[in-house]
Amino acid sequence: MNAKRFYITTPIYYVNDVPHIGHAYTTLACDVMARFMRLDGHDVHFLTGTDEHGQKVEKAAETAGMTPKAFTDKVSQSFRDLVPKMGFSPDNFIRTTEERHYRSCQALWKKLVESGDIYADKYAGWYSVRDEAYYAESETELVDGKRRAIASGAEVDWVEEPSYFFRLSAWQDRLLKFYEENPRFIGPDSRRNEVISFVKGGLQDLSVSRTTFKWGVPVPGDDAHIMYVWLDALTNYITEAGYPDTSAPNWKYWPADIHMVGKDIVRFHAVYWPAFLMSAGIAPPKRVFAHGWWTNEGQKISKSLGNVIDPRALVDEFGLDQTRYFLMREVPFGNDGDFRRDAMIQRMNSDLANAYGNLCQRVLSIVAKNCGGVVPVAGPLIDADAALLAKASGLLARLRTVLAEQSFHEALTIVWDCVGDANRYVDAQAPWALTKTDPARRDTVLWVLAETIRRVTLLLQPYMPTSTARILDQLAIAADRRDFAAWESALASGTALPVPQGVFPRHVDPAAPVVAKPAKKA
Ligand code: ME8
């Protein structure tokens, strides 16, 4: 079978510090997307990894009293450890300190030289080590009358050194044409507009090498120069595809379908990266999608405030799938969002325990108690049955549409709308009361509900892989009937079901007990 390919990437993370919620968030979004596309029959390649070069990492190693190599080995491992902890399913984990990556960067550099887009000069200007980025004087301001910084607070240093430049200014019109011809290249639209106006404002040539430190990929033929860490880092996406060997097996994945990024690094991915690639004669990625930033209980997250959110602690306290669900549900993907404990607990109790968990538990318990623990037989359907089944059946198409736009929260809203309908249907049909009066009708109602739970649960697998696996086990769905090819394989009456068990416990906050509201009724 020649499945449609889907290559999705996370940013590669700086190893100057341990993972925080921002890292977990981007990778989680990619993970949900990758799992959804796999279930939908695509040949998926999902890449994450670590960005290990540059001044920032070199300094962090120095502060830790370690060599850059030993330091990056250690911190990179903490990002790798986040993979099982968060239930991520990448196909590979790349490190920019790998040999194959040096080869790829140097090959790309040579292509840029061949195309006439690299020239030697001298850089004199401001540089932020925190952002690993150059800033124009006009973007900086004096803080306390001495140090210069940019608006986000990152300090900048004056840098004056010999440097190679990339002729970015020459790419302005071609980039604008590219955005015009590829309206889906940047999402969401607000970011697309920002990028377009930035490029329209005029592009300066970009300094792409440094001479004042050593921790990076040497410029081919001039190893006094180390490649600019962003040129090095962006290249990871094609290194993984086998570059410069375009006959490598993974090259079939290029161009990438989505680079998922945070809003702060859009410019690098949507301006510099397509310019580098086009200059080297390589197709640019198909889409760059930028998500917003989390605050913590209304406050900007920062190390100095000591309010950094450790995703591992969230999983330990609230559970893996609960954390995954909350992060994807609470904030429209693309917007900024605020992490609040009470909101987390509210969602766990109201959406998961009360609405979805309770639906599964109620239905499966009645089946166990009243139908001999087997999938009941459905008799003739009345309008209410057909309406619920039709709603559930239409979910897959709707999710395909919204997830193609990375609208992760909307997909969940759509599914929960159906869960709400199913709960109202249980109340209206009251199957428990039918045992004495009309057991055949009771069986039909329970079949309709179990089939609805099957469809809903298939779709929730990308978000909550562990809990949904348990629910699908309780519905006795075979492992090879859990992808979307099995969407129309309705529950077979007579199948024996295991004893049901609750999957989403209610959470009582020991710190500040919260009385959760019951699931909303429309
Ligand atoms: O930028 N909320 O690495 P990084 C949400 N190495 N997301 C956040 C966040 C917050 N409070 N804080 C940070 C790099 N992020 C480069 C990438 S790719 C070729 C090179 C996000 O470790 C941020 O937007 O600084 C970015 O996507 C990632 O976490 C941080 O990556």
Side-chain angles (χ1 to χ4, degrees):
M1 192 180 80
N2 200 1
K4 204 160 169 277
R5 291 177 190 112
F6 186 78
Y7 180 21
I8 182 163
T9 66
T10 74
I12 48 170
Y13 302 114
Y14 286 127
V15 290
N16 61 312
D17 206 354
V18 292
H20 58 63
I21 193 170
H23 304 115
Y25 187 49
T26 327
T27 311
L28 173 59
C30 291
D31 190 64
V32 171
M33 199 74 215
R35 286 176 184 269
F36 184 88
M37 296 308 264
R38 284 187 197 117
L39 289 170
D40 212 10
H42 289 71
D43 170 8
V44 171
H45 196 76
F46 167 23
L47 179 69
T48 188
T50 43
D51 184 355
E52 307 193 7
H53 292 133
Q55 230 173 331
K56 166 150 118 171
V57 172
E58 194 181 66
K59 277 192 172 174
E62 210 176 283
T63 308
M66 294 169 85
T67 63
K69 178 75 178 85
F71 180 73
T72 53
D73 283 349
K74 177 167 170 259
V75 186
S76 178
Q77 187 59 43
S78 65
F79 282 89
R80 219 182 259 268
D81 293 343
L82 194 64
V83 168
K85 183 83 191 173
M86 291 292 302
F88 296 149
S89 62
D91 294 291
N92 205 1
F93 186 103
I94 193 168
R95 300 182 57 186
T96 54
T97 43
E98 289 173 52
E99 226 259 335
R100 61 174 176 143
H101 181 65
Y102 278 62
R103 255 199 326 273
S104 168
C105 288
Q106 294 186 331
L108 180 67
W109 181 280
K110 286 184 194 153
K111 282 277 181 207
L112 301 180
V113 171
E114 278 168 28
S115 67
D117 275 331
I118 299 263
Y119 64 93
D121 201 341
K122 193 174 138 195
Y123 179 76
W126 296 101
Y127 190 79
S128 153
V129 175
R130 188 199 75 176
D131 296 353
E132 296 283 17
Y134 303 93
Y135 289 103
E137 174 97 11
S138 58
E139 292 174 286
T140 70
E141 58 198 24
L142 274 177
V143 180
D144 303 331
K146 350 184 212 345
R147 304 274 302 174
R148 280 204 166 262
I150 58 161
S152 70
E155 286 199 350
V156 289
D157 301 309
W158 184 258
V159 169
E160 232 177 284
E161 58 187 312
S163 174
Y164 287 99
F165 282 79
F166 175 76
R167 234 178 268 284
L168 188 63
S169 58
W171 283 90
Q172 180 172 348
D173 292 343
R174 283 175 283 182
L175 281 169
L176 289 171
K177 184 161 173 275
F178 173 70
Y179 304 144
E180 175 90 36
E181 287 169 357
N182 298 277
R184 281 181 47 79
F185 177 61
I186 305 165
D189 282 347
S190 54
R191 301 285 165 217
R192 173 180 154 79
N193 297 338
E194 264 171 40
V195 168
I196 291 176
S197 58
F198 171 75
V199 174
K200 279 192 175 151
L203 295 174
Q204 308 260 317
D205 288 352
L206 180 71
S207 163
V208 284
S209 74
R210 306 282 313 271
T211 46
T212 44
F213 69 97
K214 282 275 150 235
W215 183 236
V217 180
V219 165
D222 190 353
D223 57 14
H225 287 255
I226 295 296
M227 273 184 213
Y228 174 37
V229 66
W230 269 102
L231 172 54
D232 159 349
L234 289 161
T235 304
N236 91 86
Y237 304 130
I238 54 172
T239 301
E240 176 67 6
Y243 193 76
D245 178 6
T246 53
S247 61
N250 271 359
W251 193 254
K252 65 181 179 209
Y253 292 112
W254 193 261
D257 292 84
I258 302 185
H259 293 323
M260 204 77 89
V261 299
K263 64 179 182 180
D264 54 321
I265 56 174
V266 176
R267 186 184 298 186
F268 302 94
H269 284 83
V271 181
Y272 304 166
W273 183 224
F276 295 152
L277 288 168
M278 289 194 276
S279 170
I282 304 168
K286 294 184 204 153
R287 185 162 167 88
V288 172
F289 192 95
H291 65 70
W293 272 35
W294 287 92
T295 47
N296 187 357
E297 309 281 347
Q299 270 195 321
K300 191 177 164 191
I301 294 177
S302 86
K303 263 208 262 180
S304 50
L305 288 175
N307 65 349
V308 175
I309 300 173
D310 179 349
R312 296 163 296 192
L314 293 183
V315 170
D316 290 341
E317 181 171 8
F318 300 110
L320 172 57
D321 283 347
Q322 286 81 354
T323 301
R324 289 174 60 111
Y325 173 79
F326 177 81
L327 293 175
M328 291 289 98
R329 174 63 185 84
E330 185 67 2
V331 177
F333 199 67
N335 293 6
D336 289 336
D338 188 30
F339 182 87
R340 290 193 356 251
R341 275 184 72 83
D342 61 349
M344 169 94 217
I345 293 166
Q346 169 73 19
R347 289 229 174 263
M348 283 176 73
N349 287 342
S350 150
D351 299 5
L352 295 179
N354 289 356
Y356 174 48
N358 199 30
L359 173 70
C360 300
Q361 181 68 7
R362 271 164 115 183
V363 170
L364 290 170
S365 312
I366 311 174
V367 170
K369 233 188 281 156
N370 296 319
C371 309
V374 300
V375 175
V377 177
L381 301 182
I382 64 169
D383 285 355
D385 309 338
L388 184 60
L389 288 173
K391 180 114 170 204
S393 155
L395 292 175
L396 174 58
R398 295 182 67 196
L399 260 62
R400 282 189 182 124
T401 307
V402 296
L403 288 179
E405 302 302 319
Q406 286 71 57
S407 201
F408 296 102
H409 77 291
E410 199 181 345
L412 290 173
T413 315
I414 290 170
V415 172
W416 254 260
D417 179 45
C418 182
V419 168
D421 280 6
N423 272 319
R424 281 183 289 275
Y425 171 92
V426 184
D427 293 340
Q429 302 299 324
W432 52 87
L434 291 168
T435 294
K436 285 213 179 105
T437 53
D438 191 350
R441 175 67 198 146
R442 174 203 64 198
D443 285 1
T444 303
V445 168
L446 291 172
W447 185 88
V448 168
L449 283 164
E451 172 62 4
T452 302
I453 294 172
R454 180 188 75 92
R455 298 241 207 217
V456 160
T457 306
L458 287 183
L459 293 176
L460 292 178
Q461 294 177 94
Y463 291 88
M464 299 188 286
T466 318
S467 317
T468 50
R470 289 179 57 201
I471 295 169
L472 294 172
D473 287 347
Q474 296 186 30
L475 285 172
I477 309 285
D480 63 357
R481 290 295 172 93
R482 296 184 180 193
D483 61 17
F484 302 152
W487 186 243
E488 298 304 337
S489 306
L491 279 177
S493 303
T495 309
L497 301 179
V499 177
Q501 278 174 350
V503 171
F504 294 107
R506 291 180 57 77
H507 184 88
V508 179
D509 188 4
V514 168
V515 181
K517 293 182 195 126
K520 277 197 201 111
K521 304 236 157 117

